[in-house]
Amino acid sequence: MTTAVLMSILIFIWLAVVGACIGSFLNVVIYRLPAGKSIVSPPSSCPKCGKRIRWFHNLPVLGWLLLRGRCYDCKAPIAARYPLVELLVGGAFFVLGLSVFSQSNGPPQSLFEYQPWAAFVGLAGLFCCLLAALLIRYDGHRIPRGIWLATALFAATLVASAWVP
Ligand SMILES: [Zn+2]
């Protein structure tokens, strides 16, 4: 295996990890935004006992597995939806990365171009907005203005990517 191929595989795995972290953030957005709470503070805590969640239990997917789906402090069950959202977004980033960057055989040269990155950010962002909107609706809330705004922004990025050199 050449270094270039190995590097591109590492980049796609890295994209999946970034996606899982963004999925983790999306869980916070889905939960807090319709309730009108801040999405940046305070740090996550258990909705049952209020104890702050330790950083290593907050790792995407792994944290939930480590805890076997229960709060470390009060053992209240943590919905499987949280790691599923993280997995889904991680998987989407991996697949979108592959499809945007590997248009030719061999290592994707496009990894070093701006155009596919702009397209990737637009597509990945739209995927996240759609997923957040669906789950917020599923929870019985109105889709918050912030989600519409982000959708418009990512759609504009995707369209603009056609003109990026
Ligand atoms: Zn708890």
Side-chain angles (χ1 to χ4, degrees), residues 61-84:
V61 187
L62 292 178
W64 190 87
L65 291 176
L66 217 65
L67 292 167
R68 294 194 179 80
R70 293 185 173 279
C71 169
Y72 180 79
D73 295 294
C74 71
K75 307 292 172 210
I78 305 165
R81 187 171 109 178
Y82 295 110
L84 283 178

Side-chain angles (χ1 to χ4, degrees), residues 26-109:
L26 221 53
N27 280 321
V28 175
V29 168
I30 292 163
Y31 180 68
R32 293 192 188 173
L33 208 56
K37 292 180 190 164
S38 162
I39 51 174
V40 283
S41 70
S44 299
S45 56
C46 170
K48 196 87 176 238
C49 69
K51 284 261 169 63
R52 191 169 286 186
I53 295 167
R54 290 152 189 82
W55 70 267
F56 50 93
H57 289 152
N58 221 350
L59 293 173
V61 187
L62 292 178
W64 190 87
L65 291 176
L66 217 65
L67 292 167
R68 294 194 179 80
R70 293 185 173 279
C71 169
Y72 180 79
D73 295 294
C74 71
K75 307 292 172 210
I78 305 165
R81 187 171 109 178
Y82 295 110
L84 283 178
V85 165
E86 291 156 0
L87 264 181
L88 200 64
V89 180
F93 273 46
F94 187 81
V95 171
L96 283 173
L98 271 180
S99 64
V100 170
F101 292 107
S102 330
Q103 285 141 351
S104 55
N105 294 328
Q109 298 299 320

Side-chain angles (χ1 to χ4, degrees), residues 1 50 71 108 151:
M1 206 186 294
C71 169
T151 305

